Amino acid sequence: MGINTSFCWCFILVLLWFQSQGCLEEERAALLQIKDSMGSYLSSAFSNWYVKECCDWEGVVCDPSHTRIQRIFFPHLRSDDSEPWFPNATLFAEFKDLQELELPGNHIGGFISIQAFRKLKHLRKLNLRDNSIQNGSNLWWGKYLSLYNLDLSGNKLQGNFPDSLCANLFLRELILSRNNLFGSINSCLGNMITPRLLDLSENQFNGSFPSLLISNLTNIESLVLSSNEFQGMISLCVFANLSRLSELDISFNHLEVETEMMSPSCSPSFRLSTLSLGGCNVKKIYPWMFHNITSELWLSNNNLTGPFISNFQNITSKLTILDISDNFLRGTLPEDINLNFSELRHLDLSGNSFNGNLPMFFSDQLQMLDLSNNQFQGEIPYSIKSNMSCLLYLGLSQNNLTGDLFPKNSSLPNLRWLHLNNNRLSGTFPYALSKSMKLRIIDIQNNELSGELSSYLPVLPKLNILILRGNQFEGQLPVKICQMRDLHLLDLSENDLSGDIPDCVDNVTSWLGRSETAVGYLPDGSRNGIVFTTKGRRYIYKAVVLSFLMGVDVSCNRLAGKIPIQMTRLKGIRILNVSNNLLTGQIPSSLGNLVNLESLDLSHNNIFGVLPHELVGLGLLAAFNVSFNNLSGMIPIEHQFGTFESDSYLGNPDLCGHPLQIKCNGSTETPPIYARAEKSVSIMYFAVLICLFFIVICLE
């Protein structure tokens, strides 16, 4: 008993001794030097680095003894506009037991003394994703390490496949996607014997597809070679004997892929979790795909033709994602499509020629449903409106749908993206959307909706985009818009709205340039964009560009009154279009405060007075139109105003100056600021003449 007690006390003392040990002083000092070398970093970074014990610091993980640092994880700590960071590799070499080093998204341009990484004998994982590394030859130190996982995706690597990476025989995961690498990968693949994950997507690798070498990657589990320049015709039989393969993505190359698996050389047990063959000139969907692909099947942008119903009749599939968008499929969809695909979370049939009525039932687990750009007709089934509580994305745009949008008892509580534009839907704005408080996009433009918008439009606090262009809404502009403080795009053009522009527009925080939302407008996999008028032309904006877009378009209505002074405080907006209304009054000089404005259209109104000289301060203005108003006086010619054509000023008979043919004659119609300038010039010339006169007198 005494021996056991003594042993327990000794064990406890040993534990306490280990616990009392802090991280080594040289490692603590190295961490602080790494932090200082970053130069600038986000204010939220290193938030708890004030405590003495560095093993407790954010981004640091020590071994069980709490003495040696084993993992360093510093993700996206430097601001987007910071200068490239060139860390000294000798600082990281201080961590003798380091196993994982992750520095993604820190604007790393390269390393100083990179050979010091050779000292990290225990390093197994290196993550340098989303940095600015350009020189692949600096990766030669890799052959001295026993790395299992290397992620260099989203950098600026150029040239051929880095030979140094081929020499590392231990790599299990190699990710080089989103770089500028090109040439053949054959020589390197021959040396790689143990990879489980190989992702070379979104580069410029070319030549024939390396079928033979890939068939020897017997341990491969995930192979992603999409968005490169590989060429030729291949069969999926190439991959049939890769028994561990779970994910295969060879989409968007220059390949023609044969998907039939009836050849004797093809393994009947060929099964995948994910198969991506987008843009691979696939001509037919075979039944084995619905049985042997257990999760995701991506077949967009191919040459699939004929009625789709024949492909899955009497089939029960476990697919969670099915994308056959942008093909040439036609015919109707079965009413009980949910029986064939009961596990679906994502269904994209857009960009085909399907017709008939929409199916009555889809999987109630669906999160994304995109049936846009087809020829569906009839009403939206009640089951879509009410029995799909998981639905996040609904895309039914550009069909021939009719009837009311959503009845009052509809409920889509998790809906975030709603695209119903370019149909023939009628009725009022669906007040049932007041139950969808997570909505970020509503695009119902070009339908036949009517009624007083202010009576039905709910307040949706997270809404970023509201597009109602080309309907028949009437009544006042809804004051409720002012309560949607994170609106980025508002398009109410081509309706029958009247009254004044609300004075409360400056309550919309995002238009003031103070948006705190991290804009991620469209979900992954969505090909839909937002159509919006900019610089007098209609453009389709995709997700990346949308994050920079801020605009208001209320053109082609019957709005009256003056441009409210509150609108001149919207320093965040880039596009402002109030043309084709009944606005009156003068252009506020404070409109020149909208420093981010790129397109300004005030044409076809009853605006009078002079063009404020303050407008020349709009340095980003690329499109300007004040035609067909009652403006007078001199046109500014400074800065970008010297580039606008006469079309910008037509229909204002009292305007003068370049680029119009009407010359200014110094009459009272000349803007005061220019009159003062001309008067000052005249006084200066007169003073010079007097001085010359007295000089001549003195010389005599």
Side-chain angles (χ1 to χ4, degrees), residues 38-58:
M38 284 188 177
S40 62
Y41 43 81
L42 300 177
S43 58
S44 57
F46 311 110
S47 59
N48 70 337
W49 277 38
Y50 57 87
V51 299
K52 183 177 180 180
E53 177 49 68
C54 66
C55 283
D56 296 329
W57 288 357
E58 180 183 1

Side-chain angles (χ1 to χ4, degrees), residues 310-551:
S310 61
N311 289 305
F312 60 80
Q313 212 163 15
N314 301 320
I315 284 178
T316 301
S317 173
K318 296 297 183 183
L319 285 173
T320 59
I321 294 179
L322 175 60
D323 185 346
I324 53 171
S325 60
D326 297 316
N327 279 284
F328 304 95
L329 296 165
R330 55 182 172 81
T332 60
L333 297 178
E335 292 287 334
D336 54 355
I337 190 174
N338 61 313
L339 298 179
N340 301 109
F341 300 98
S342 60
E343 304 293 328
L344 274 182
R345 307 287 193 278
H346 174 128
L347 177 61
D348 191 346
L349 308 181
S350 63
N352 283 282
S353 298
F354 293 116
N355 54 30
N357 293 328
L358 294 174
M360 293 295 293
F361 300 101
F362 289 94
S363 167
D364 57 6
Q365 301 180 62
L366 266 180
Q367 297 178 1
M368 178 176 180
L369 176 61
D370 194 345
L371 305 177
S372 57
N373 293 83
N374 280 286
Q375 299 168 22
F376 290 113
Q377 59 193 36
E379 297 188 359
I380 302 174
Y382 180 77
S383 59
I384 292 180
K385 304 173 184 178
S386 300
N387 297 332
M388 300 180 72
S389 59
C390 296
L391 198 63
L392 304 176
Y393 181 103
L394 179 59
L396 302 176
S397 58
Q398 299 196 42
N399 282 285
N400 296 309
L401 300 175
T402 55
D404 291 346
L405 279 177
F406 300 108
K408 289 184 178 180
N409 56 351
S410 298
S411 179
L412 295 170
N414 289 301
L415 194 65
R416 288 167 172 78
W417 299 278
L418 179 62
H419 297 266
L420 299 175
N421 53 286
N422 294 88
N423 282 285
R424 293 186 290 121
L425 298 166
S426 57
T428 61
F429 187 92
Y431 188 77
L433 291 181
S434 61
K435 304 172 187 176
S436 305
M437 299 299 285
K438 298 179 182 179
L439 269 167
R440 302 190 67 176
I441 289 181
I442 297 177
D443 185 354
I444 322 179
Q445 64 181 308
N446 297 325
N447 278 283
E448 298 173 6
L449 301 174
S450 59
E452 288 206 10
L453 184 58
S454 59
S455 300
Y456 297 98
L457 182 70
V459 175
L460 299 167
K462 295 188 177 181
L463 197 66
N464 296 137
I465 296 178
L466 179 61
I467 310 289
L468 303 180
R469 174 190 179 99
N471 282 283
Q472 299 163 26
F473 291 118
E474 56 190 25
Q476 301 276 332
L477 276 179
V479 177
K480 294 176 183 177
I481 289 171
C482 302
Q483 301 177 49
M484 302 185 213
R485 303 200 172 199
D486 211 14
L487 266 181
H488 286 236
L489 284 183
L490 174 66
D491 189 347
L492 303 179
S493 61
E494 297 183 19
N495 280 283
D496 196 26
L497 299 169
S498 57
D500 296 346
I501 299 175
D503 291 340
C504 60
V505 288
D506 57 346
N507 287 346
V508 181
T509 308
S510 57
W511 291 345
L512 297 174
R514 304 175 193 161
S515 176
E516 298 179 357
T517 300
V519 180
Y521 282 126
L522 299 175
D524 292 340
S526 169
R527 291 175 184 80
N528 278 326
I530 295 295
V531 179
F532 194 78
T533 300
T534 308
K535 303 172 185 177
R537 308 179 78 175
R538 302 285 280 167
Y539 293 95
I540 299 178
Y541 292 95
K542 298 295 184 179
V544 175
V545 181
L546 275 175
S547 61
F548 301 101
L549 200 59
M550 200 82 68

